[in-house]
Amino acid sequence: MDWTSLFIHDTTWSFAAEIFLRCIFMYIMIIVFLRLTGKRGVRQLSIFEVAIILCLGSIAGDPMFDEELPLLQAFLVMATIITLYRITTLLIMKYQPFEDLLEGKSLYIVEDGQLVLEQIKKGKMSHDEFFAEMRQQGTEHLGQIRVGLLESDGKFSILFYKPEDVRYGLPLFPKAHQPIRHVEENTYYACLHCGNVSGLKDINERCQRCDACHWTIAINTPRT
Ligand SMILES: [Zn+2]
């Protein structure tokens, strides 16, 4: 292998200096254009915004070291992308269908302490992912949740029941989330598939809501 070619190739001192200047200009340009998007930070990006960031990123990199690319061209590309971005965000603010198309809708995952069947069927997200999100927000079981909404940016918003309104629900922590082997009297059981709570007479009884027959013991602990 030719190590000189690998590391240096045809780099001259003057081009090294040019790279230095190109980087400074592109760095400033990136910051200015990111400020122009109007975003304050990048903690929560929608898919659409990630696409913009990717575009800007790829435009920004090459002119830093490619002598064939004048900075003016990079500037023009970035200006065009940002203008498109601003126009799109304006349209998103004005027209709801446009927003649903680009950012995705927020989805009700939990209502009244049970998983929303329609959403489980669509399989937008696995049970495990939902449950992890809910656990991270300090939820022990579904009976504590009045409304659970999956936002378009992937965040999970939860409205909790007041402590006195907490009902029996499906436990979310793994140890309590085990299928039962036998049925006892005066015990509430929760459907592992949809969170429906019911008393059982027989272990093979099917869930009246979703027709599954996997049950675990429901709990009604208040939130701490
Ligand atoms: Zn069920």
Side-chain angles (χ1 to χ4, degrees):
M1 183 182 284
D2 183 352
W3 292 100
T4 318
S5 163
L6 177 63
F7 283 102
I8 300 172
H9 192 51
D10 57 358
T11 315
T12 59
W13 281 109
S14 76
F15 188 60
E18 186 180 326
I19 288 177
F20 182 64
L21 277 179
R22 281 170 171 270
C23 286
I24 293 172
F25 279 116
M26 287 312 297
Y27 178 72
I28 295 168
M29 219 190 282
I30 296 162
I31 290 175
V32 170
F33 277 104
L34 281 180
R35 288 290 296 145
L36 287 176
T37 63
K39 295 291 288 184
R40 306 209 66 104
V42 292
R43 255 169 56 86
Q44 283 304 318
L45 293 176
S46 64
I47 298 291
F48 157 64
E49 284 162 349
V50 170
I52 299 291
I53 301 290
L54 284 178
C55 284
L56 285 182
S58 92
I59 301 158
D62 291 353
M64 286 183 181
F65 61 90
D66 189 340
E67 55 187 331
E68 306 272 294
L69 285 176
L71 295 181
L72 175 67
Q73 288 177 9
F75 176 86
L76 289 175
V77 176
M78 277 192 168
T80 311
I81 295 288
I82 291 299
T83 311
L84 288 174
Y85 174 78
R86 292 312 294 243
I87 293 171
T88 323
T89 43
L90 265 178
L91 288 173
I92 283 175
M93 278 195 287
K94 286 206 161 160
Y95 304 106
Q96 186 67 42
F98 211 81
E99 176 171 3
D100 295 344
L101 187 72
L102 280 171
E103 309 244 86
K105 277 186 189 174
S106 49
L107 303 170
Y108 281 91
I109 300 299
V110 183
E111 274 178 320
D112 306 324
Q114 298 178 329
L115 293 170
V116 177
L117 280 181
E118 199 186 314
Q119 301 308 342
I120 317 177
K121 281 186 194 140
K122 278 191 203 156
K124 293 255 177 182
M125 213 178 170
S126 74
H127 278 57
D128 283 349
E129 280 173 286
F130 289 140
F131 293 165
E133 286 285 344
M134 292 183 237
R135 287 195 294 265
Q136 280 164 9
Q137 296 197 37
T139 317
E140 193 179 350
H141 61 93
L142 287 184
Q144 296 173 340
I145 298 182
R146 186 156 63 83
V147 176
L149 191 74
L150 179 64
E151 306 286 358
S152 56
D153 62 9
K155 274 235 165 189
F156 215 81
S157 303
I158 298 181
L159 295 177
F160 292 103
Y161 279 118
K162 280 184 277 179
E164 61 268 30
D165 294 335
V166 168
R167 49 185 70 189
Y168 276 92
L170 175 65
L172 300 177
F173 282 78
K175 271 191 183 170
H177 192 83
Q178 300 296 335
I180 45 159
R181 300 217 174 79
H182 55 270
V183 177
E184 283 168 31
E185 272 183 47
N186 302 321
T187 308
Y188 283 113
Y189 295 95
C191 169
L192 282 167
H193 188 65
C194 76
N196 177 30
V197 173
S198 158
L200 292 184
K201 294 201 175 59
D202 186 286
I203 190 152
N204 293 318
E205 224 172 283
R206 292 194 169 271
C207 170
Q208 291 178 343
R209 228 177 134 232
C210 73
D211 207 38
C213 68
H214 301 289
W215 302 92
T216 191
I217 296 170
I219 52 175
N220 69 340
T221 48
R223 253 166 64 78
T224 44

